[in-house]
Amino acid sequence: MSNLRLINETSFTDVSSVNIENVFSSDFDIYKLTLDMGKTSAGVVSIEHRLINASGSIITASNYDFANLKLDSGGSFATNERDTNSNDIRGLGQVGTDVNTHSAGAVAYYFNPFSSSFYTFLTMQSSYFADASPDRYFGYKGIAVLKQTASMSGINIFSTSGNYTGTARIYGLRVDS
C-alpha cells in the first residue's frame, strides 16, 4: 500500500488563478502538490501561490517568508530571491517564452497546514525550458513559511504575468510509525 494518497486532481485551462480548496485535513500532516503547466499567452508566465484558510479566504496578509534559488543549466546560479513579510510565495515556477511550445513542472511539500498550533512550512522545486541565448533549462529550489497559527484548507495558485493551463494534484503523505 502506498504512503501517498491522491486527495484531489484539478485541471484548468487559460486561467490566471485557480483555487484548490478543502484538501488539507486532520488526516495528514504532510501534503504533496504536483503541478504540470503550459501556457496560453506569449511571454514568461510566473507562477506563485498562497494558502487558503479554513474559512475559505486566501491569505494575502504579509505573513509569508520565502527563499528561492534559480538554477541555470547554461551557467551559474542566476537568482537568489528571498523576502520576509510578503503577501505571497514566489518561485513555484515559470513557463518559458513561446506559447504552446513549453511546459513546466513543480513539486511542493506542505508541513502541518491544517494544524492551528504550528506555522505551515513548505519546500518546493520546479523546472522549465526557456528560449534564452542559448535555449536552456532552468530550475527553482525554495523554502517558505506562513507565519500564522491558523488552520489552512487549500492553495491558491496564480500568475503575475499571463494565463496558464495545467493539472494540479494534491496527495496526503501517510507516515507509518
Side-chain angles (χ1 to χ4, degrees):
M1 184 169 275
S2 173
N3 283 351
L4 283 178
R5 302 285 170 87
L6 180 63
I7 296 170
N8 178 284
E9 180 173 306
T10 302
S11 295
F12 37 88
T13 303
D14 200 18
V15 298
S16 62
S17 179
V18 63
N19 290 345
I20 304 169
E21 299 184 70
N22 301 316
V23 291
F24 300 145
S25 70
S26 61
D27 294 340
F28 301 95
D29 292 330
I30 303 170
Y31 293 84
K32 178 182 180 178
L33 163 71
T34 63
L35 186 58
D36 301 313
M37 301 172 287
K39 64 182 184 163
T40 56
S41 58
V44 173
V45 175
S46 296
I47 307 297
E48 302 179 7
H49 67 299
R50 298 176 282 226
L51 293 167
I52 299 172
N53 67 21
S55 300
S57 299
I58 298 170
I59 304 297
T60 58
S62 299
N63 294 123
Y64 298 101
D65 292 354
F66 66 88
N68 298 311
L69 188 59
K70 184 177 178 182
L71 311 165
D72 183 346
S73 68
S76 62
F77 299 120
T79 306
N80 186 4
E81 181 182 30
R82 60 186 175 272
D83 198 3
T84 58
N85 302 319
S86 178
N87 62 4
D88 61 19
I89 301 169
R90 281 172 247 148
L92 188 59
Q94 289 186 339
V95 184
T97 54
D98 285 344
V99 67
N100 297 325
T101 59
H102 297 134
S103 60
V107 174
Y109 286 91
Y110 299 83
F111 301 90
N112 298 311
F114 193 73
S115 174
S116 59
S117 301
F118 301 104
Y119 289 167
T120 299
F121 287 86
L122 65 119
T123 64
M124 56 195 164
Q125 59 187 23
S126 64
S127 65
Y128 70 98
F129 182 81
D131 291 323
S133 190
D135 294 349
R136 59 189 182 267
Y137 288 95
F138 290 89
Y140 279 94
K141 290 204 59 97
I143 57 174
V145 61
L146 172 59
K147 298 177 298 186
Q148 286 187 4
T149 53
S151 183
M152 299 298 134
S153 68
I155 305 166
N156 166 247
I157 302 169
F158 66 99
S159 166
T160 60
S161 56
N163 289 353
Y164 60 98
T165 186
T167 301
R169 292 177 185 86
I170 305 287
Y171 300 87
L173 178 62
R174 189 184 80 222
V175 178
D176 294 330
S177 46

